[in-house]
Amino acid sequence: MNILVIGSGGREHALCWKIKQSPKVKRLYCAPGNGGIAQVAECVDISVEDVNLLLQFALRKQIDLTIVGPEVTLVAGVVDAFMSKGLKIFGPSQAAAALEGSKVFSKEFMHRRNIPTAVYKIFDDVPQALAFLEKAQFPLVIKADGIAAGKGVYVCGELKQAKVAIDEIMVEKKFGTAGERIVIEECLQGPEVSVLAICDGKHFLVLPTAQDHKRIFDDDLGPNTGGMGAFSPSPLVTVEILDQIITRIIEPTIRGMYQERIPFKGVLFAGLMLTTDGPKALEFNVRFGDPETQCILPRLQSDIVEIFLAACDERLHEIKVQWDESPCVCVVIASGGYPGKYQIGFAIKGLDDIKDKDQETFVFHAGTKNDGGTLVTNGGRVFAVSALDGSLEAARTKAYNAVSQIEFDHMFFRRDIATKILKEKPVYGRN
């Protein structure tokens, strides 16, 4: 098969790496890719937002299957465009992608379907939003309606912070048209977990749980990012809690989308808060998470292409998937200054010290490119370093050992990925 992956981050590198292992693959392309993806796929210089060029490339190269990484491509309607030409593509339609593309759509859908979530209000008028805040109880969460690269969410402990959020989103238009409407909701309390499910419109396959670390600094301080690290599975999600998540959130969402004639095909990513009242949905994403993917896919033992094909053909219920029981820890290495302003173009050293030395350590490139034969930084998040081992603690040690081998100017990473859970829960993993 000729396969195309759309995207350029660590998530797409992990997808290409896993897809390349399938015996079904003849040619593997990635648009636009990055310096690491170029080692396993042929990179194509096409923007993830240029749906027409992506479509023309797929037709010209006789692509048999396309996998979409970024939400911006899905919201732009790439699935509809490809399917209109008879091309097989894994991901939700533009209408279904509104679960992530619009916080307003998502919250209203959850309300209609009685899916547990935070109490909320919707505003498109600044004075009305400010008037509401004057009488509100804090803390509150303020979210831009549209997609904002994981950065359009403000947790506000007081009125002053909330006013700053309103100003940045709706007045300064920090996130462009994504901030024309906002959602103000109660701040749910509890640990946050991620549950992803591959869906075919009617059936779904729940992937191993994961926990992300959104804040830029240790101890969950500083602004939100696209994710600074993750681990899988989460020991907080017991069999009982997972059953609640499936029956109260995942299943009603898939059923509801089907009944509303917007069948959901692709990856449903539920960001959840484990509250004292049970799991509640914070938000939905409509694609693989980043960096959750980089700690979930190393645990996958089955052929991922078979899974994608089954989802596209609405026969996901026929698939049996095998997973490695080993925990996996992923540490993101970023450019200094991220998620704010940062510099790029710094030479990267130390990768050869990791490569091929350990079959259970993986370096997924995110913001890298080849510059005249030298690998240099080219983004805010530069690498996602993942490691499998017999326990969460051992996997964490292995991941950080690999991180210590990598060098570039202004390199930054959190040093506490998975430490909190290790203090709260016993070490778990394979015997």
Side-chain angles (χ1 to χ4, degrees), residues 124-131 166 170-171:
D124 60 8
D125 180 81
V126 173
Q128 289 181 6
L130 292 174
I166 296 289
M170 301 187 77
V171 180

Side-chain angles (χ1 to χ4, degrees), residues 121-139:
K121 292 280 187 180
I122 297 167
F123 296 94
D124 60 8
D125 180 81
V126 173
Q128 289 181 6
L130 292 174
F132 172 80
L133 290 175
E134 291 287 349
K135 300 178 181 180
Q137 289 188 330
F138 288 85

Side-chain angles (χ1 to χ4, degrees), residues 279-294:
K280 294 187 178 184
L282 294 170
E283 63 182 12
F284 287 122
N285 296 325
V286 297
R287 36 69 189 182
F288 281 104
D290 187 339
E292 289 91 345
T293 302
Q294 293 94 300

